[in-house]
Amino acid sequence: MKAHTEYLWFETDRAEEFVRITDEVADMVKRSGIEDGFVLVSAMHITAAVYVNDWEGGLIEDIHEWLDGLAPKANYRHHRTGEDNGEAHLKNLIMHHQVTVPITDGHLDLGPWQQIFYAEFDGQRRKRVILKALGI
Amino acid sequence: MKAHTEYLWFETDRAEEFVRITDEVADMVKRSGIEDGFVLVSAMHITAAVYVNDWEGGLIEDIHEWLDGLAPKANYRHHRTGEDNGEAHLKNLIMHHQVTVPITDGHLDLGPWQQIFYAEFDGQRRKRVILKALGI
Amino acid sequence: MKAHTEYLWFETDRAEEFVRITDEVADMVKRSGIEDGFVLVSAMHITAAVYVNDWEGGLIEDIHEWLDGLAPKANYRHHRTGEDNGEAHLKNLIMHHQVTVPITDGHLDLGPWQQIFYAEFDGQRRKRVILKALGI
């Protein structure tokens, strides 16, 4: 059995920004030498998510707007600490901070339209995603 | 260590339909010969989810209605591409497209009421779920 | 390859309560002897969740209030069975019932602010979380 770990760093230009990372994850899986197993793709921050969905600009804008409705900017209790990012924590919870991608025959075993995204909700500073592959 | 992979195919009668798949996953785990490990159950489409909850008809109707409220049919930007399923993408994001089920002593190690469901949000065509078990 | 399984039991004082379990998961990983791999932390009930976010009291209150808005108490179809906890099932679905935590060098490989929580939505009775670690 093999385990292989890498980290991806992000520093987005905008506070909220979605970044496609399918190719980075696929390259890491090649470097791992794992033919059959899983790769965990997991944000290491509590105001960012990782999700799998469509690489289509209109939909990506729809997701931003939809999340603004479900987790609006507001006067959260959390802001008493001096923070102003309460809604970014709630967006992390809706979107979930991680996905597990299956590896088959040395490749990401994704459906035809599935793309992996890093979803930043409180950016403009350095943040990290862990990639850990486990398998044979 | 062993890895074992199978795929489940679906073609639901209705556009939105939840299908219980606990038995199919349990049978696949038996075929894998894995005694201790994980099985990933992951939709390979971006308008379908996999979730674990109760096998109770009233609750299943409640979940459909509740999702219609959180991700309503609307004139999404995504529809400029010719698609008309924006809300199905958003329901996929709320519900998450995958679960990892623990395997102990060769069986799914689920709680007494936990059942695995495939949640179709844009059906009436062939779609797929990957089952990948990893363990010893 | 090693696999190691433990169960955490909860009986919360309140119907809805979030309990930090990072230390319990870290101790279990030490006992597993696994240096590199994953630990799945998964609620075995359909009215409880496991999530990773901030250990800050104001935010925890914000999350409770926000979930009450997204999944309010109501006259759900599920209540025809004699149950009165429909909203607890829906909160489980939003928050997801599990996380997978990476293990690196024998430790939980979490970001600086990431803490693991058990989120009870229908407590005051004995409930369980499975911890299963897999790796080398």
Side-chain angles (χ1 to χ4, degrees), chain B residues 2-51:
Chain B
K2 290 176 198 169
H4 182 75
T5 305
E6 297 189 14
Y7 302 88
L8 294 178
W9 286 93
F10 299 88
E11 185 168 356
T12 58
D13 289 336
R14 281 164 287 166
E16 185 167 316
E17 192 171 327
F18 299 168
V19 183
R20 193 178 71 96
I21 57 172
T22 315
D23 298 341
E24 287 80 356
V25 179
D27 289 347
M28 177 273 190
V29 165
K30 255 182 239 163
R31 283 190 291 274
S32 77
I34 290 171
E35 289 291 311
D36 207 354
F38 300 138
V39 56
L40 177 71
V41 184
S42 190
M44 301 185 75
H45 298 265
I46 53 188
T47 53
V50 172
Y51 74 90

Side-chain angles (χ1 to χ4, degrees), chain A residues 16-36:
Chain A
E16 186 168 315
E17 192 171 327
F18 299 168
V19 184
R20 194 178 71 96
I21 58 172
T22 316
D23 298 342
E24 287 79 355
V25 179
D27 290 348
M28 177 274 190
V29 165
K30 254 182 239 164
R31 284 190 291 273
S32 77
I34 291 171
E35 289 290 311
D36 207 353

Side-chain angles (χ1 to χ4, degrees), chain C residues 6-35:
Chain C
E6 296 189 14
Y7 302 88
L8 293 178
W9 285 93
F10 298 88
E11 185 168 357
T12 58
D13 289 336
R14 282 164 287 164
E16 186 167 316
E17 192 171 327
F18 299 169
V19 183
R20 194 177 70 96
I21 58 171
T22 316
D23 298 341
E24 287 80 354
V25 179
D27 290 347
M28 177 273 190
V29 165
K30 254 182 239 163
R31 284 190 291 272
S32 77
I34 291 171
E35 288 291 310

Side-chain angles (χ1 to χ4, degrees), chain B residues 62-90:
Chain B
D62 290 329
I63 297 170
H64 282 290
E65 188 175 294
W66 173 71
L67 289 173
D68 285 342
L70 291 182
K73 281 189 182 297
N75 186 21
Y76 292 105
R77 289 176 190 85
H78 182 50
H79 297 175
R80 294 181 201 154
T81 63
E83 295 281 354
D84 64 351
N85 60 0
E87 74 287 351
H89 289 270
L90 303 179

Side-chain angles (χ1 to χ4, degrees), chain A residues 1 3 5 7 40 43-46 70 76-78 81 89-90 92-94 96-98 130 132 134, chain C residues 1 36-38 53-54 56 58-59 61-63 65-66 96 98-100 103-104 109 111 113-114 136:
Chain A
M1 211 205 70
T5 305
Y7 302 88
L40 177 72
M44 301 184 76
H45 298 266
I46 52 188
L70 292 182
Y76 292 105
R77 289 178 192 86
H78 182 50
T81 62
H89 290 269
L90 302 179
N92 158 291
L93 294 174
I94 300 176
H96 211 56
H97 73 288
Q98 60 185 191
I130 182 169
K132 187 180 284 279
L134 197 70
Chain C
M1 211 206 70
D36 208 352
F38 300 137
N53 211 292
D54 203 356
E56 195 279 299
L59 182 72
E61 278 187 73
D62 291 328
I63 297 171
E65 188 175 295
W66 173 71
H96 212 55
Q98 60 184 190
V99 299
T100 299
I103 304 167
T104 305
D109 201 346
W113 300 100
Q114 288 187 307
I136 51 182

Side-chain angles (χ1 to χ4, degrees), chain C:
Chain C
M1 211 206 70
K2 288 176 200 170
H4 182 74
T5 306
E6 296 189 14
Y7 302 88
L8 293 178
W9 285 93
F10 298 88
E11 185 168 357
T12 58
D13 289 336
R14 282 164 287 164
E16 186 167 316
E17 192 171 327
F18 299 169
V19 183
R20 194 177 70 96
I21 58 171
T22 316
D23 298 341
E24 287 80 354
V25 179
D27 290 347
M28 177 273 190
V29 165
K30 254 182 239 163
R31 284 190 291 272
S32 77
I34 291 171
E35 288 291 310
D36 208 352
F38 300 137
V39 56
L40 176 71
V41 184
S42 191
M44 301 185 75
H45 298 265
I46 52 188
T47 53
V50 173
Y51 74 90
V52 167
N53 211 292
D54 203 356
W55 187 23
E56 195 279 299
L59 182 72
I60 288 171
E61 278 187 73
D62 291 328
I63 297 171
H64 282 289
E65 188 175 295
W66 173 71
L67 289 173
D68 285 343
L70 291 182
K73 281 187 182 298
N75 185 21
Y76 292 106
R77 289 177 192 84
H78 183 50
H79 297 175
R80 294 180 200 154
T81 63
E83 295 282 353
D84 64 352
N85 60 0
E87 75 286 351
H89 289 270
L90 303 179
K91 289 175 180 180
N92 158 290
L93 293 174
I94 300 176
M95 295 289 280
H96 212 55
H97 72 290
Q98 60 184 190
V99 299
T100 299
V101 183
I103 304 167
T104 305
D105 295 332
H107 294 92
L108 300 181
D109 201 346
L110 291 168
W113 300 100
Q114 288 187 307
Q115 297 279 345
I116 311 168
F117 288 89
Y118 171 70
E120 177 62 80
F121 299 119
D122 189 20
Q124 298 168 320
R125 45 191 172 136
R126 275 168 66 75
K127 293 171 81 168
R128 223 165 33 139
V129 165
I130 183 169
L131 309 179
K132 188 180 284 280
L134 197 70
I136 51 182

